[in-house]
Amino acid sequence: MYLNLRNKEKEVDHIILEERKHPFYVMDECARVFAGLRRGYPHFSENINEAKPIYNNEQFGAIRRGSTYDIERISSKDLL
């Protein structure tokens, strides 16, 4: 049982490492970037230096559900 758990943990760690290699950013329809959470809700900023990277679709979905604006994901090269 413990051997199975360790293998699963290693598999999850590998998935996380792969996701971290390809971050993306979130921008709303007012051209503001996702800068984290404020009081539990997505906060968007006009300051591009405050942009926080997102690593998976679950994070993007949570931001979409909490935002009142339309949002889209953009790559780091599109951000600059």
Side-chain angles (χ1 to χ4, degrees):
M1 179 174 157
Y2 291 112
L3 185 60
N4 243 355
L5 183 60
R6 286 185 184 166
N7 287 339
K8 188 66 173 172
E9 287 175 352
K10 287 181 181 179
E11 184 179 321
V12 169
D13 288 343
H14 180 69
I15 291 170
I16 291 171
L17 285 175
E18 286 300 314
E19 287 176 343
R20 292 229 174 242
K21 290 180 182 177
H22 306 288
F24 57 91
Y25 296 87
V26 177
M27 185 174 280
D28 70 3
E29 63 188 39
C30 299
R32 298 178 301 175
V33 293
F34 174 71
L37 298 175
R38 293 256 172 102
R39 297 183 181 147
Y41 293 98
H43 171 68
F44 290 86
S45 173
E46 293 177 359
N47 185 352
I48 199 168
N49 294 326
E50 294 180 6
K52 302 284 185 202
I54 303 299
Y55 298 103
N56 59 47
N57 289 328
E58 288 80 14
Q59 290 173 319
F60 182 74
I63 295 168
R64 176 180 279 159
R65 286 187 296 276
S67 177
T68 55
Y69 294 101
D70 286 337
I71 62 170
E72 64 181 68
R73 44 185 133 202
I74 56 174
S75 68
S76 57
K77 56 185 171 179
D78 292 337
L79 185 63
L80 303 174

